């Protein structure tokens, strides 16, 4: 493989994350990893002086301007890690300068902007890859594996949730003009995971927003997607949840599965003998119930969900292989545009308070 040099535009939280990943300074997959082979950091640019000072403190010399960065012939990959509303301008300028671009998500504020970015990439013949990094999350990979293997029978409902209790971070994410709100911040991940897991078309979308801690943008949302095969996928984000619901809850015809959070291994319970379906009534404070009586242990089997390892460094490995014409992009612009369109359907449903059609 050839040697590649990248420069980061925007050295905030995610920009620094890219720096650490490339240099191998963080902990990845629960263990320390070295720097990415064949990928080098040429420098960075940030409009904030404190971030420029931080760059110098970690041995990364900042460029004097974006123009200087784009004029550096050594740089063949530009990483755009700015606030959402600036993505389009940075990406367009970098592509026009003959650079390949890795853009943070969401790539743009809407599908019309992203179409312009796709057109520019096609016109210049340069690579544009969007950093949909949550495709490598091991909780997602475990549930995707469950879906594909059919261990609990045909799935009819998948619930995917991310809950926090601190509201929206006190930065640009609180403002609509900067592309804030939880649909663009976290919805882009959960919806992308849904589309990557389930191959069928989405026929209907129903969504609702919350504004508990912020009136300018949604601080939470629930989106219910109905797929062509009848499966219902619920994507939910909350920022005022002091008791979090499980990261994943899955219902199949022959069992159920739950995965509590990013760090724990999930479990599944599946039926082993449907013929023994009778139940002893359960006594509650106000009466008896036979319908909700739990199954006896000899009719079900509880197992841990198999772990599926994920390595986020594979993202940059794929970028380099694509540039050398040795692989196809693992994240395509068409996939990203589909997520952009789906997010717009979520906004439309929430604002109209009704179910909207999608991909019919």
């Amino acid at each position: 493989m050839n040697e590649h040099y990248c420069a980061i535009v925007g050295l905030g939280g995610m920009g620094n994350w890219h720096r650490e990943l490339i240099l191998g300074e963080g902990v990845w997959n629960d263990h320390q990893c070295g720097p990415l082979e064949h990928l080098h950091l040429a420098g960075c640019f940030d409009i904030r002086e404190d971030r420029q000072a931080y760059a110098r403190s970690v041995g990364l010399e900042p460029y004097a301007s974006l123009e200087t960065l784009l004029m550096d012939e050594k740089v063949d990959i530009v990483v755009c890690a700015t606030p959402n509303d600036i993505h389009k301008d940075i990406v367009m300028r970098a592509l026009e300068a003959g650079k390949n671009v890795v853009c943070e998500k969401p790539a743009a504020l809407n599908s019309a902007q992203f179409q312009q970015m796709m057109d520019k990439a096609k016109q210049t013949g340069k690579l544009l890859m969007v950093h949909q990094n949550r495709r490598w999350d091991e909780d997602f990979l475990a549930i995707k594996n469950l879906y594909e293997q059919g261990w609990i029978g045909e799935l009819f409902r998948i619930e995917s949730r991310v809950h926090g209790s601190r509201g929206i971070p006190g930065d640009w994410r609180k403002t609509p003009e900067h592309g804030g709100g939880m649909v663009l911040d976290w919805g882009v991940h959960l919806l992308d995971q849904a589309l990557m897991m389930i191959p069928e078309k989405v026929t209907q979308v129903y969504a609702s927003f919350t504004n508990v801690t912020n009136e300018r943008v949604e601080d939470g949302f629930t989106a219910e997607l109905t797929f062509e095969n009848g499966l219902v996928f619920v994507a939910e984000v909350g920022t005022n949840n002091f008791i979090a619901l499980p990261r994943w809850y899955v219902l199949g015809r022959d069992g159920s599965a739950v995965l509590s959070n990013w760090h724990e291994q999930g479990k599944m319970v599946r039926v082993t003998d449907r013929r023994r379906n009778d139940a002893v009534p359960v006594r509650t404070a106000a009466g008896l119930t036979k319908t909700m009586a739990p199954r006896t242990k000899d009719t079900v089997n509880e197992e841990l969900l198999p772990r599926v390892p994920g390595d986020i460094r594979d993202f940059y490995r794929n970028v380099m292989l694509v540039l050398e014409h040795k692989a196809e992009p693992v994240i395509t612009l068409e996939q990203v545009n589909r997520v952009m369109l789906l997010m717009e359907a979520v906004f439309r449903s929430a604002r109209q308070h009704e179910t909207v059609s999608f991909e019919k």
Side-chain angles (χ1 to χ4, degrees):
M1 188 178 290
N2 299 328
E3 301 305 303
H4 297 271
Y5 293 83
C6 76
I8 300 172
V9 180
L11 199 65
M14 281 308 299
N16 193 56
W17 185 94
H18 284 274
R19 182 192 70 82
E20 291 181 340
L21 179 67
I22 294 168
L23 296 179
E25 292 186 0
V27 176
W28 315 102
N29 305 328
D30 297 324
H31 62 275
Q32 194 76 32
C33 300
L36 272 164
E37 294 183 9
H38 310 292
L39 185 60
H40 312 278
L41 269 179
C44 67
F45 172 69
D46 197 296
I47 61 173
R48 288 174 48 178
E49 292 185 2
D50 61 323
R51 299 314 295 170
Q52 295 177 26
Y54 172 77
R56 294 188 183 95
S57 74
V58 294
L60 191 62
E61 186 60 32
Y63 289 91
S65 64
L66 177 61
E67 292 74 16
T68 306
L69 182 154
L70 296 178
M71 290 173 59
D72 189 344
E73 296 182 357
K74 180 172 62 176
V75 173
D76 61 335
I77 303 170
V78 171
V79 178
C80 178
T82 63
N84 297 339
D85 59 316
I86 312 174
H87 287 178
K88 180 192 167 187
D89 178 60
I90 301 295
V91 169
M92 299 286 271
R93 291 173 66 179
L95 291 171
E96 289 171 351
K99 307 299 185 185
N100 303 291
V101 181
V102 168
C103 182
E104 262 304 325
K105 61 75 206 169
L109 299 185
N110 53 59
S111 60
Q113 284 188 0
F114 188 61
Q115 184 63 56
Q116 292 178 293
M117 296 159 69
M118 289 195 294
D119 292 343
K120 182 61 70 173
K122 183 177 181 180
Q123 173 193 333
T124 59
K126 308 308 291 186
L127 175 67
L128 170 59
M129 183 93 82
V130 179
H131 187 235
Q132 289 287 172
N133 54 310
R134 295 291 173 186
R135 294 189 188 184
W136 283 268
D137 277 353
E138 293 189 359
D139 60 282
F140 161 66
L141 295 175
I143 300 300
K144 184 174 184 289
N145 189 42
L146 173 71
Y147 177 88
E148 294 169 348
Q149 298 298 328
W151 287 315
I152 58 173
E154 181 183 355
L155 304 188
F156 60 89
R157 187 177 179 88
I158 300 175
E159 299 177 7
S160 170
R161 291 184 171 88
V162 177
H163 284 166
S165 59
R166 298 177 182 275
I168 300 176
D171 56 14
W172 56 266
R173 288 176 177 83
K174 286 185 174 182
T175 58
E177 60 268 26
H178 293 308
M182 286 298 103
V183 173
L184 289 175
D185 188 40
W186 262 102
V188 66
H189 287 307
L190 302 191
L191 299 176
D192 180 72
Q193 289 180 340
L195 298 185
M196 290 300 99
M197 183 185 301
I198 304 161
E200 283 79 10
K201 292 181 179 180
V202 178
T203 58
Q204 292 182 331
V205 177
Y206 180 76
S208 59
F209 290 173
T210 61
N211 297 91
V212 180
T213 64
N214 190 296
E215 290 295 331
R216 300 192 65 198
V217 296
E218 75 286 351
D219 60 8
F221 75 89
T222 301
E224 185 175 292
L225 317 179
T226 302
F227 283 82
E228 208 167 34
N229 62 357
L231 184 148
V232 173
F233 190 107
V234 177
E236 182 176 282
V237 174
T239 58
N240 199 58
N241 299 66
F242 292 84
I243 300 176
L245 292 176
R247 174 70 185 87
W248 296 92
Y249 182 66
V250 184
L251 299 175
R253 294 189 181 277
D254 298 323
S256 305
V258 64
L259 198 158
S260 296
N261 54 52
W262 288 291
H263 306 294
E264 292 184 6
Q265 190 169 359
K267 69 176 181 179
M268 58 181 166
V269 176
R270 46 184 170 175
V271 66
T272 57
D273 190 350
R274 279 196 179 277
R275 295 170 300 176
R276 301 171 61 185
N277 208 36
D278 202 16
V280 177
V282 173
R283 183 179 296 276
T284 70
L288 300 178
T289 174
K290 192 173 182 179
T291 305
M292 298 305 165
R295 282 188 171 272
T296 56
K297 291 183 179 180
D298 57 344
T299 65
V300 293
N301 188 41
E302 181 175 317
E303 306 166 60
L304 291 176
L305 284 176
R307 288 186 179 275
V308 181
D311 190 347
I312 185 56
R313 296 174 299 170
D314 286 341
F315 172 83
Y316 274 112
R317 292 176 182 133
N318 178 250
V319 169
M320 291 186 285
L321 287 172
V322 172
L323 293 181
E324 297 183 19
H325 308 289
K326 297 174 182 176
E328 294 298 317
V330 70
I331 300 172
T332 69
L333 299 183
E334 291 74 21
Q335 291 169 350
V336 174
N337 192 52
R338 188 181 179 210
V339 176
M340 295 295 306
L341 293 169
L342 182 53
M343 287 193 294
E344 290 174 353
V346 167
F347 279 113
R348 191 161 63 251
S349 173
R351 288 165 181 164
Q352 296 174 0
H353 303 287
E354 63 183 17
T355 300
V356 298
S357 297
F358 188 74
E359 295 186 324
K360 277 193 174 182

